């Protein structure tokens, strides 16, 4: 039985101009369209710090995410906030009944990513790399996975201990 493969099918920027006021509503937002294998029930996300030349926006407490197809993190009020850079978040659980395209192989979900820009941040174009991981069992630890970083979100390197990962870069 083919459950599909973890992949990012597209990333839609919905807000790319931010005000440095520390407010998620005035920050950046993207919608990641993601295929998750149908037998995998949880998703985790990570981001590196955001950089522009010598300026940095820390990921910790400035990046949150949620999925409308999640049972425990499906809106801004239940979003998971990242507390470290390059460290996978707590899991969000996926609802098997909320597949955006049941006729497409794998479970089709959206992950909404919000970034707030702290007061005093230097203006510029900031970039970050990200990872998305999916697992079969919510209690299972994420295994050690080898991966390759590529400068576009479409290049994928996967596999390892019941965990798939994708790595890419988002430019603001």
């Amino acid at each position: 039985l083919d459950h599909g493969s973890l992949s990012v099918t597209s990333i839609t920027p919905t807000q790319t101009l931010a005000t440095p006021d520390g407010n998620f509503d005035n920050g950046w937002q993207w919608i990641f369209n993601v295929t998750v294998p149908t037998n995998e029930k949880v998703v985790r996300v990570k981001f590196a710090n955001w950089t522009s030349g010598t300026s940095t926006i820390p990921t910790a407490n400035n990046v949150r995410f949620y999925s409308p197809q999640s049972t425990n993190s499906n809106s801004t009020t239940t979003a998971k906030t990242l507390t470290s850079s390059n460290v996978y978040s707590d899991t969000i659980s996926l609802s098997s009944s909320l597949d955006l395209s049941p006729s497409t192989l794998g479970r089709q979900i959206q992950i909404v990513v919000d970034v707030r820009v702290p007061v005093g941040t230097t203006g510029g174009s900031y970039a970050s790399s990200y990872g998305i991981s999916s697992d079969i069992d919510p209690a299972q630890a994420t295994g050690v996975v080898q991966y390759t970083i590529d400068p576009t979100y479409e290049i994928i390197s996967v596999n390892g201990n019941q965990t798939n990962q994708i790595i890419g870069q988002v430019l603001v």
Side-chain angles (χ1 to χ4, degrees), residues 25-145:
D25 290 337
N26 297 324
W28 301 311
Q29 185 180 75
W30 294 268
I31 297 174
F32 286 62
N33 290 300
V34 180
T35 299
V36 178
T38 54
N39 65 328
E40 298 188 357
K41 302 173 186 169
V42 297
V43 172
R44 296 174 177 90
V45 172
K46 70 177 179 179
F47 275 86
N49 287 332
W50 298 79
T51 58
S52 175
T54 59
S55 299
T56 300
I57 298 172
T59 288
N61 302 312
N62 289 314
V63 178
R64 71 180 181 192
F65 75 99
Y66 62 92
S67 172
Q69 291 73 46
S70 169
T71 59
N72 67 330
S73 184
N74 53 23
S75 69
T76 57
T77 57
T78 57
K80 300 289 183 183
T81 300
L82 300 181
T83 58
S84 299
S85 69
N86 281 321
V87 174
Y88 277 103
S89 64
D90 291 337
T91 60
I92 62 169
S93 299
L94 299 176
S95 170
S96 59
S97 65
L98 296 177
D99 188 333
L100 293 173
S101 181
S103 63
T104 302
L105 189 60
R107 182 178 299 135
Q108 309 307 307
I109 69 166
Q110 290 184 325
I111 297 174
V112 180
V113 176
D114 295 322
V115 179
R116 64 179 166 196
V117 179
V119 173
T121 299
T122 303
S125 180
Y126 287 76
S128 177
S129 60
Y130 70 89
I132 298 174
S133 167
S134 62
D135 289 311
I136 291 172
D137 182 348
Q140 181 177 356
T142 302
V144 176
V145 178

